[in-house]
Amino acid sequence: MLARRHPVIARLSAAVAALLLSACGGYPSEDTVPPNPFDIGNMERLQALDALGAKAHRGERRRFALDDDCVLRVTRSDGPRRGQRLEQALRQGMDVGISFDKAEGVYEVHLLSGGGPDARQLGLLLRSSAWMQAAQADLLVQLMIRDCAGAADLNAAPVPPPPRTAPTTQSPPVPAATGAHPR
């Protein structure tokens, strides 16, 4: 009956229902959950960092590379300083810091010489207008530093376990008498 009295309302209701039902078809592929950075290796982290660098602030896009000696290479891939590079060996004790440039409205991710307030900035890793991208880059590089620092220890010669001795059947030694009598 409503359709006979108000055909416009009926058409709008049908359009809204169709729109709502079409949204229930599933999640778009862009909403896939990225892998946990703690559960992947440095090469996968490097790929994730490279993807962030490709989506960074226009004129500030960067490409990342990491060699077997844990030297991180950052190259600007666009903008006025295209091709500008940062090369830095990742080592234990380094840190990553995020700062905000209020004038430009951009977050900057820097590689730092250490974790304290006196740490020097070793180079700019990423500039992004999105805090989430900066935070992701921060975490990825911190994990790369952690795993690069541990790589030297993993490559060291293993320490052999102490030799096994046959179990003895002797009782533990009896403490020496002190002259005191138990009560």
Side-chain angles (χ1 to χ4, degrees), residues 14-132:
V16 168
L19 180 65
L20 290 174
L21 288 174
S22 69
C24 296
Y27 291 104
S29 61
E30 297 89 37
D31 287 348
T32 58
V33 176
N36 184 345
F38 292 94
D39 295 337
I40 58 177
N42 275 351
M43 287 304 118
E44 292 87 0
R45 290 182 192 125
L46 184 67
Q47 291 171 350
L49 191 59
D50 214 32
L52 288 173
K55 293 187 281 185
H57 188 65
R58 187 175 188 148
E60 295 290 342
R61 293 191 175 101
R62 298 178 184 324
R63 303 273 309 165
F64 297 87
L66 185 70
D67 67 15
D68 291 338
D69 294 325
C70 284
V71 174
L72 180 65
R73 290 180 177 79
V74 184
T75 308
R76 287 184 65 153
S77 59
D78 70 344
R81 296 184 213 145
R82 182 183 180 134
Q84 182 182 28
R85 287 183 80 158
L86 164 69
E87 289 188 20
Q88 183 65 51
L90 301 179
R91 64 184 189 286
Q92 189 171 15
M94 287 180 148
D95 201 1
V96 182
I98 300 174
S99 61
F100 182 69
D101 183 342
K102 288 181 184 179
E104 293 186 43
V106 174
Y107 295 92
E108 296 180 342
V109 182
H110 291 272
L111 186 61
L112 305 174
S113 63
D118 298 333
R120 293 182 296 117
Q121 289 184 353
L122 300 174
L124 181 66
L125 299 172
L126 184 77
R127 285 173 49 100
S128 175
S129 57
W131 178 85
M132 185 57 103

